[in-house]
Amino acid sequence: MTVSSKFSADAKQFVIAIDQRFDFSLHQQFREAYNSVTNQGLKYILDLSQTEYMDSSALGMILLLKDHVQLYSGSLTISKPSETVNKILKIAQFQRLMTIE
Amino acid sequence: MSHIRKGLYLSCALTLLIWLNYLFLHEEMLFVFLLFSLFFLLIALASRIDNVASANIKYKTGEATQVVDDELIHSVIFELQQFIHQEVDIVEKELLRTKMLVSDAVTGISESFKHLQNLSEEQQQMIQVLISQSGSMGDGKGASLDSFVADSNKTLDDFVGVIINTSKQSLETMVYTDDMVAQFDSIFKLLSQVEGLASQTNLLALNAAIEAARAGEAGRGFAVVANEVRSLSVGSTDLNEDIRTEINKAKGIIAKLRQSVEIMASADMTSTLEAKDKMIVMMSHVEDVNNQTNQSVEELAIIAPKITEAVSVGVRSLQFEDLTRQSLESLQMNVSSLHEISDALATFDKNPDIAIHQQLIKLKTTCQQVYYETRQSEDSRSVKQLNMDEGEIELF
């Protein structure tokens, strides 16, 4: 139930990884993970490969992250979501707002 | 012919008597009488033979010598007439019966064909109504089932959008709440400083009271002031404590606020996922139903004219009744010809005075006449007869 974040070696990508459950209890950690990052044109990658459960607050958090990314002219990519998570992202029509791969 | 044979025997007997008279009696008167008798007998025979010979020639049978009894002829012809009459009567009755049967059957069949066609048309109309109703939801605005499903799908998407937005807003509220909690913490720090000031003031007041006591009577007034300052610092500490309690209450309220915002923000998406899955299944089902309906409509559109065509063929085929009636009427004419022959045969018995060969000749003429009449009507009939396939379609 943790959020981990790190810069890639060349400092051009910022990866945020979420554990199994992505819900309201993570909101503070999640916000703190990116709030201090203010690099311009950074590529944000949200790694959901470990995530199995996601509720609507997770979608809200991703939208807030998206706002933050746009504020600093970056780009957001959601990486390797599981089938269930991908379904939720599809219903929320996030594929229109960001890249899902 | 038996008369001629008897006459010849009689003439032989007369000749024998003449010879007996000539050889033994020699009676002149008897001789003359016998000779005259023989003479007239022979003349009578000659005339009779002449009649028979001429009759034989006229019949051209080549058997002039054949001898037929008049009674036999009469009886044979009578039997023949009876037989023909009976057979013709039976044939006539059967003809009438057949005509009626065919007419009744054709009337029944054509009515049922007509009925069948009407039913088919009714069925077609009902199917059309059914199809137009199945496409709409029955609200009279032409809203179809698939548009209803599409609307529901859109509503679901909107609903999901609302949920996500609510979550986002709640999370933002959460950020502000956290900021507010941080503000409270700094208020607490300030309060601690105020408390420090109050305790220092208290200490100062205590020192002042001690110094005032040391000054004795001169410091009495100052001791009162120091005491007042000390009670002020104690009041200030109490007030601080009150403020801390109130702010702690506010923090408790904020904790509750966080809980309700959390509930607001974190909606479980599982039911939404299931609804979406159901919606997808329903949409594909509606599509299937639509396709099936369209296919059925196309098939029905092909079947309807086929039924009409089949009924038309049936009705056209029923014109055989017309042709059959013509045939039966023609047969009735033939039967009436047979009746004529039969009537001609019946006159044989009624007129025994007329010579048999003349009657036969009359019969022959009648036969020929009837034969030509029948032939003529047969020729005109075969011209009238039409092929059934060429007939116009006509509903009875």
Coordinates of all heavy atoms in Angstrom, one line a residue, chain B residues 1-2 5 52 56 63-69 72:
Chain B
M1 N -91.0 -66.7 -96.6 CA -90.4 -67.7 -97.5 C -91.2 -69.0 -97.3 O -91.3 -69.8 -98.3 CB -89.0 -67.9 -97.0 CG -88.1 -66.7 -97.4 SD -88.1 -66.3 -99.2 CE -86.4 -66.2 -99.5
S2 N -91.7 -69.3 -96.1 CA -92.5 -70.5 -95.9 C -93.7 -70.6 -96.8 O -94.1 -71.7 -97.2 CB -92.8 -70.7 -94.4 OG -93.7 -69.6 -94.1
R5 N -92.6 -71.8 -100.1 CA -92.3 -73.3 -100.0 C -93.6 -74.1 -100.1 O -93.8 -75.0 -100.9 CB -91.6 -73.6 -98.8 CG -90.9 -75.0 -98.8 CD -90.1 -75.3 -97.6 NE -88.9 -74.4 -97.5 CZ -88.7 -73.6 -96.5 NH1 -89.5 -73.6 -95.5 NH2 -87.6 -72.9 -96.5
V52 N -89.5 -61.1 -102.9 CA -88.4 -61.5 -102.0 C -87.1 -61.2 -102.6 O -86.2 -60.7 -102.0 CB -88.5 -63.0 -101.7 CG1 -87.2 -63.5 -101.0 CG2 -89.7 -63.3 -100.8
N56 N -84.1 -58.7 -101.2 CA -82.8 -59.1 -101.0 C -81.7 -58.3 -101.7 O -80.7 -57.9 -101.1 CB -82.6 -60.6 -101.4 CG -83.1 -61.5 -100.4 OD1 -83.4 -61.1 -99.3 ND2 -83.3 -62.8 -100.8
E63 N -76.7 -62.2 -99.3 CA -77.3 -63.4 -98.8 C -78.8 -63.4 -99.1 O -79.6 -63.3 -98.2 CB -77.0 -63.6 -97.3 CG -75.6 -63.8 -97.0 CD -75.3 -63.8 -95.5 OE1 -76.2 -64.4 -94.8 OE2 -74.3 -63.3 -95.1
A64 N -79.1 -63.2 -100.3 CA -80.4 -63.1 -100.7 C -81.3 -64.2 -100.3 O -82.5 -64.1 -100.1 CB -80.5 -63.0 -102.2
T65 N -80.6 -65.3 -100.0 CA -81.4 -66.5 -99.7 C -81.7 -66.6 -98.2 O -82.4 -67.4 -97.7 CB -80.6 -67.7 -100.1 OG1 -79.3 -67.6 -99.5 CG2 -80.6 -67.9 -101.6
Q66 N -81.0 -65.6 -97.4 CA -81.2 -65.7 -96.0 C -82.6 -65.3 -95.6 O -83.2 -64.4 -96.1 CB -80.2 -64.7 -95.3 CG -80.2 -65.0 -93.8 CD -79.2 -64.0 -93.1 OE1 -78.6 -63.2 -93.8 NE2 -79.1 -64.2 -91.8
V67 N -83.1 -66.1 -94.7 CA -84.5 -65.9 -94.3 C -84.6 -65.5 -92.8 O -84.1 -66.2 -91.9 CB -85.3 -67.3 -94.5 CG1 -86.7 -67.1 -94.0 CG2 -85.3 -67.7 -95.9
V68 N -85.2 -64.3 -92.6 CA -85.3 -63.8 -91.2 C -86.7 -63.6 -90.9 O -87.5 -63.1 -91.7 CB -84.5 -62.4 -91.1 CG1 -84.6 -61.9 -89.7 CG2 -83.1 -62.6 -91.6
D69 N -87.0 -64.0 -89.7 CA -88.4 -63.9 -89.2 C -88.7 -62.5 -88.8 O -87.9 -61.9 -88.1 CB -88.6 -64.9 -88.0 CG -90.0 -65.0 -87.7 OD1 -90.9 -64.6 -88.5 OD2 -90.3 -65.5 -86.5
L72 N -88.8 -62.0 -85.1 CA -87.5 -61.9 -84.5 C -86.9 -60.5 -84.6 O -86.3 -60.0 -83.6 CB -86.5 -63.0 -85.1 CG -85.2 -63.1 -84.5 CD1 -85.3 -63.7 -83.1 CD2 -84.3 -64.0 -85.3

